[in-house]
Amino acid sequence: MIAMETILDVQDLQTYYRTGKQVVPAVDGVSFRLAKGEVLGIVGESGSGKSTVVRSIIRLLDKNTTRIENGRVLFRGKDLLKLSGRELRGIRGKSISMVFQNPLSSLNPVYTIGNQIQEAILTHESMSRAKARDRALHLLEQVEIPSPELRLDDYPHQLSGGMQQRVLIAMALACQPEIILADEPTTALDVTIQSQILELLSRIRDERNMSIILITHNMGVIAEMCDRMLVMYGGVVMEEGKCTDVFASPLHPYTLGLLASIPSLEEEKEELYAIPGQVPHFNAPVSSCRFCSRCDQVFTRCREEEPPFIQIGDGRFVRCWLYAQENETNNG
Amino acid sequence: MDNNPILEVKEARKSYPVTKGFISRKNIGTVKAVDNVSFNLYKGETLGVIGESGCGKSTLAKLIMGLTTLSGGEIRLKGEPVRPDMPLTMRRNIQMIFQDPYSSLDPRMNVRRIVEEPLRIHENLSKEEKNKIVLPIMEQVGLSAGALDKFPHEFSGGQRQRIGIARALVLNPEVIVCDEPVSALDVSIQAQVLNLFASLKKIRGLTYIFISHDMSVIKHVSDRIMVMYLGQVMEISSKRSLFGNARHPYTQALMSAIPEPNPAAMKNRIILKGDLPSPIHAPAGCPFQSRCPQAMDKCRIKPELKQVGEGHYVACHLVNEGVVS
């Protein structure tokens, strides 16, 4: 691959939740880069910290319970974590916008969808209402909503889930963003509607050369949509690489387990592989591999030290002592 | 399929009135939630029911459980009609596992009360006798005996689902209706619960009706599969025949819509246009005609389920035309 222009650079991001006396390391040292025009997938089970990562990027977090402890998020040379509220609002919804999981609860039930799209436009650009309405109409056309002039005056509850998600995508596109953060955009939808929305997102990406960070728990969606992927568990990235590489030869025992536990359409399996146990709760600081209690290849070192993020190949990383050992024995 | 079916569903119908107005409650139409569904369920098999939201799969589950009255047709469990007022001796043969492991367990009961509740209703047993039934079941579903004295909030989603399964098993039922039992769980936990269903089936010779919207889950658990759309059966067949030779355009689209966890497998995707029509304004004739890529004039007449192979039935005019091979 040619070295592409990096548009977003997340460095050692740490976001902690405080609940009572406990400190929960929801995101504990996550770094990645997003290139222009790239679709980056973040996959993980509930509680892995994937949503907190993207919410930290545009600081959509509850200030009372959440603190970004450390890290930098560089967007066009600026650290988003250091911007004032006013400066951040100039970027949020304009250069970086977000599509949420549950379309009905993300739309305001008492305003028409036309009104809500116009609001997104008028917040960032000064133009007449009539012009903004034209732009909203054009956006609805782009996201393939049938008879958009009629839908503009509909309220959210008058639309189906798939149509609501299209409206949210239209709002996210309103100011021609460079990055879209999509947090489980198809999880609430039926499969036939999901494939429509995924096709729409990849078409928009191709037309506008936008970058997308796509969060999902569905490995199939990642395989279909993404160029590169991060596998998250317990607040850290366990594995990173190009999708083709990760699916062809998963390295981390967690990634292997995740892939093996999906029932396959192609082959018959008598019994599915099941990762034993359940996602544990972590308290900061963590001093072992976060997966060690469920890993089937665990050894002493895993319980004593957290493994580093080890580079295996070109853009390929894994956080597992199995691979560190290999290097050491080779060297010695 | 040697002997008699354990459950017979014949032309089952359920429609709900659609009302308008808060006080006058005028009837403005009906929703046919389940429309003319027939199938037989044989002992020891798993029938997978798949469909998108609003296709009537949960209403069908309610009808089979006798939780709501039929608007037409009949359902027989071991020859006896299933009704909301059926006797307890019959009801204990069919139990249900629900989708949401959070709302289906009473937060104020401990696990012992939850799991023993069916026994309290159906039998009159001493503490020791109840323990004799409950303890082996807790072991079978993978929970320790110590769990009995805890409350639901102390468990994770996967463990709660195990509690729900234990509750369904204590009466030793023959048929279990599972309504989306794994869709609220993470994949690694989903695999654990699916394996549990398989092992219980082996140990206890259970018969399942397994409802899901996830084709890969349905394929994993089922012996036979029924595809539903807007309250009607589109296709019903053995798993092998359905996956080898799906005949209905809807089944084909449903299968091709599933994202495969394999970037190398670039398949020819059939992307359906439009949304599911509202069941209130379901099109006359074939319910799928508004989205079908192969719709024709004839589809305004409702197609009957036609046999196309051994145990393989399809409701589509294309089959008669010989267009679909």
Side-chain angles (χ1 to χ4, degrees):
Chain A
M1 216 205 298
I2 328 149
M4 281 193 293
E5 186 196 343
T6 300
I7 186 163
L8 190 76
D9 188 357
V10 176
Q11 298 171 353
D12 200 26
L13 183 71
Q14 283 180 311
T15 307
Y16 288 5
Y17 290 132
R18 275 153 215 283
T19 53
K21 280 182 191 155
Q22 278 190 322
V23 177
V24 182
V27 174
D28 205 4
V30 168
S31 306
F32 62 87
R33 285 166 179 216
L34 178 70
K36 185 143 187 61
E38 178 185 46
V39 183
L40 175 71
I42 303 182
V43 69
E45 296 181 279
S46 30
S48 61
K50 51 196 195 303
S51 291
T52 313
V53 168
V54 297
R55 282 171 178 263
S56 301
I57 291 172
I58 49 173
R59 281 159 56 191
L60 277 182
L61 296 162
D62 184 349
K63 277 190 197 135
N64 296 322
T65 57
T66 319
R67 256 187 49 201
I68 299 176
E69 302 281 328
N70 188 20
R72 301 207 295 170
V73 177
L74 299 176
F75 171 67
R76 287 213 228 102
K78 268 185 280 185
D79 186 352
L80 296 184
L81 303 182
K82 295 223 170 67
L83 293 185
S84 69
R86 193 195 181 86
E87 286 170 310
L88 187 66
R89 281 194 294 278
I91 289 175
R92 203 196 265 159
K94 183 169 165 60
S95 314
I96 304 179
S97 56
M98 189 148 175
V99 178
F100 297 91
Q101 171 170 3
N102 189 337
L104 187 56
S105 60
S106 321
L107 290 166
N108 189 330
V110 297
Y111 289 104
T112 63
I113 59 161
N115 206 318
Q116 294 182 57
I117 299 175
Q118 285 169 44
E119 187 193 352
I121 301 168
L122 293 172
T123 309
H124 295 286
E125 293 174 38
S126 53
M127 61 170 77
S128 68
R129 284 230 147 234
K131 252 197 171 158
R133 194 181 157 89
D134 275 354
R135 167 98 71 95
L137 187 68
H138 182 63
L139 284 164
L140 289 187
E141 273 166 20
Q142 283 187 322
V143 296
E144 296 161 16
I145 288 185
S147 45
E149 32 327 295
L150 299 174
R151 296 289 86 78
L152 217 45
D153 297 316
D154 275 352
Y155 289 89
H157 72 268
Q158 292 170 291
L159 304 175
S160 66
M163 285 299 149
Q164 288 166 0
Q165 198 55 282
R166 286 171 194 267
V167 170
L168 275 184
I169 293 172
M171 283 170 68
L173 292 174
C175 296
Q176 273 133 26
E178 292 170 69
I179 302 173
I180 285 195
L181 310 175
D183 188 356
E184 303 259 11
T186 58
T187 305
L189 306 174
D190 279 317
V191 271
T192 59
I193 309 296
Q194 164 172 288
S195 59
Q196 292 174 354
I197 297 289
L198 292 181
E199 197 207 33
L200 174 70
L201 278 174
S202 30
R203 203 202 72 214
I204 291 168
R205 192 276 296 252
D206 292 345
E207 283 172 7
R208 303 183 173 213
N209 195 27
M210 260 179 354
S211 310
I212 299 177
I213 297 182
L214 181 72
I215 295 183
T216 176
H217 65 273
N218 187 332
M219 281 287 192
V221 170
I222 295 273
E224 204 117 296
M225 290 288 294
C226 300
D227 306 312
R228 270 191 323 128
M229 65 191 280
L230 309 175
V231 181
M232 282 192 72
Y233 185 83
V236 293
V237 179
M238 288 297 190
E239 186 160 358
E240 174 178 348
K242 273 188 255 170
C243 282
T244 40
D245 296 345
V246 176
F247 281 100
S249 57
L251 297 174
H252 200 286
Y254 177 61
T255 319
L256 278 160
L258 264 189
L259 285 170
S261 58
I262 304 167
S264 164
L265 280 174
E266 268 158 22
E267 52 187 309
E268 287 288 317
K269 294 184 212 165
E270 181 71 7
E271 194 173 345
L272 292 170
Y273 175 78
I275 303 175
Q278 47 193 305
V279 183
H281 295 286
F282 297 104
N283 286 323
V286 180
S287 57
S288 65
C289 172
R290 286 159 210 248
F291 189 56
C292 69
S293 60
R294 303 176 75 191
C295 184
D296 53 6
Q297 298 181 56
V298 64
F299 52 98
T300 339
R301 195 171 186 183
C302 308
R303 296 204 178 88
E304 289 165 353
E305 255 182 290
E306 174 152 37
F309 209 34
I310 303 156
Q311 181 154 20
I312 299 292
D314 179 26
R316 193 90 163 81
F317 296 87
V318 63
R319 189 183 294 280
C320 181
W321 282 123
L322 284 174
Y323 299 92
Q325 274 217 325
E326 258 170 42
N327 288 349
E328 275 166 27
T329 39
N330 286 349
N331 295 342
Chain B
M1 301 190 197
D2 30 297
N3 41 9
N4 290 330
I6 189 163
L7 185 83
E8 294 166 87
V9 179
K10 273 189 210 144
E11 296 173 12
R13 287 168 212 273
K14 177 70 189 176
S15 48
Y16 292 103
V18 184
T19 55
K20 198 180 177 177
F22 181 64
I23 295 164
S24 62
R25 294 234 164 240
K26 261 198 304 196
N27 260 352
I28 56 164
T30 52
V31 178
K32 289 179 182 168
V34 170
D35 192 9
N36 206 3
V37 170
S38 303
F39 64 88
N40 287 338
L41 185 70
Y42 296 89
K43 188 154 180 57
E45 76 168 344
T46 301
L47 176 72
V49 180
I50 187 163
E52 295 178 278
S53 37
C55 75
K57 47 193 198 303
S58 291
T59 307
L60 182 66
K62 278 192 195 165
L63 288 173
I64 292 169
M65 290 298 299
L67 294 175
T68 182
T69 47
L70 284 158
S71 309
E74 63 171 349
I75 297 177
R76 283 173 178 276
L77 179 67
K78 296 166 96 182
E80 297 292 318
V82 169
R83 285 197 312 264
D85 57 352
M86 65 184 166
L88 282 181
T89 48
M90 210 182 134
R91 195 178 278 281
R92 63 178 303 159
N93 281 324
I94 186 158
Q95 293 290 317
M96 187 157 177
I97 294 164
F98 299 91
Q99 169 170 8
D100 183 354
Y102 291 86
S103 59
S104 59
L105 303 178
D106 188 331
R108 293 164 56 149
M109 288 188 181
N110 65 18
V111 174
R112 184 185 299 275
R113 272 187 78 195
I114 291 172
V115 176
E116 285 179 354
E117 191 175 24
L119 291 174
R120 281 203 302 279
I121 295 167
H122 288 266
E123 304 194 25
N124 191 8
L125 298 175
S126 69
K127 222 175 171 182
E128 288 74 45
E129 286 171 316
K130 277 193 249 176
N131 260 342
K132 242 184 216 164
I133 299 176
V134 169
L135 288 175
I137 284 174
M138 291 298 278
E139 201 188 315
Q140 275 180 13
V141 300
L143 290 171
S144 66
L148 285 171
D149 298 317
K150 293 187 181 171
F151 284 86
H153 71 263
E154 297 174 70
F155 295 92
S156 65
Q159 289 172 315
R160 282 159 179 253
Q161 203 54 296
R162 288 173 195 267
I163 298 170
I165 294 169
R167 174 176 61 186
L169 289 177
V170 286
L171 290 173
N172 204 11
E174 294 183 53
V175 181
I176 293 194
V177 179
C178 314
D179 189 1
E180 303 260 14
V182 294
S183 49
L185 307 176
D186 275 318
V187 270
S188 71
I189 309 298
Q190 168 180 298
Q192 294 174 2
V193 175
L194 288 178
N195 286 341
L196 175 62
F197 277 119
S199 80
L200 289 174
K201 185 177 172 179
K202 242 183 234 160
I203 300 170
R204 303 177 144 252
L206 290 169
T207 309
Y208 292 124
I209 292 182
F210 199 99
I211 296 174
S212 177
H213 66 276
D214 185 333
M215 188 64 108
S216 43
V217 169
I218 284 283
K219 183 181 180 205
H220 181 75
V221 299
S222 309
D223 302 310
R224 278 196 305 146
I225 296 169
M226 180 161 97
V227 183
M228 289 184 72
Y229 188 80
L230 286 187
Q232 296 179 31
V233 178
M234 298 281 104
E235 188 159 5
I236 180 167
S237 144
S238 71
K239 169 163 74 179
R240 182 167 301 152
S241 179
L242 191 79
F243 277 86
N245 186 13
R247 303 290 289 269
H248 201 287
Y250 178 61
T251 316
Q252 292 166 358
L254 206 55
M255 285 179 179
S256 92
I258 301 152
E260 279 277 313
N262 177 6
M266 275 301 142
K267 43 184 177 177
N268 269 332
R269 172 142 301 173
I270 307 166
I271 293 189
L272 293 177
K273 295 245 154 52
D275 281 317
L276 280 118
S278 150
I280 308 173
H281 310 287
C286 174
F288 186 54
Q289 59 179 294
S290 59
R291 298 173 79 199
C292 183
Q294 302 176 62
M296 47 191 180
D297 287 345
K298 214 177 170 181
C299 299
R300 280 184 218 132
I301 307 161
K302 190 171 160 177
E304 297 291 317
L305 266 182
K306 285 257 159 68
Q307 185 161 16
V308 293
E310 201 198 325
H312 191 156
Y313 297 82
V314 181
C316 180
H317 291 301
L318 288 170
V319 172
N320 304 355
E321 304 271 311
V323 183
V324 179
S325 54

